[in-house]
Amino acid sequence: MEIPAGALWSDLNVAIYPIENPSALTSAGVEDIIARYEFGPSSAREFAMPVTITIPYAATQDTIVTIYWYNPETGQLSQT
């Protein structure tokens, strides 16, 4: 994760860690989830400028990568 100086409104510890027990996500109807990460803190945050998040993955030429996020309001994965 690249957070440029001045991107946060105040001092804040930001963390990324793999989700070890994704039971709520496995029933979401998304096939072949290869990686699950939690970005924290888990609360509404707005950055003052763009940040960059890079998630490495092994892919072939025919791989289609789709990004989802977990919406706690609906309890589902979403692309919007």
Side-chain angles (χ1 to χ4, degrees):
M1 178 183 292
E2 295 177 38
I3 302 174
L8 295 168
W9 301 102
S10 62
D11 289 343
L12 180 69
N13 288 326
V14 178
I16 302 173
Y17 48 91
I19 296 174
E20 301 287 333
N21 226 348
S23 58
L25 300 181
T26 56
S27 62
V30 176
E31 301 293 325
D32 301 325
I33 296 176
I34 60 169
R36 298 166 181 95
Y37 294 94
E38 175 77 22
F39 296 82
S42 293
S43 59
R45 293 282 176 236
E46 184 175 315
F47 293 98
M49 60 184 65
V51 301
T52 301
I53 298 171
T54 304
I55 301 173
Y57 64 92
T60 65
Q61 185 176 5
D62 298 324
T63 300
I64 297 172
V65 177
T66 306
I67 306 296
Y68 294 88
W69 65 279
Y70 178 74
N71 183 338
E73 292 179 13
T74 65
Q76 299 292 318
L77 295 176
S78 178
Q79 289 184 284
T80 57

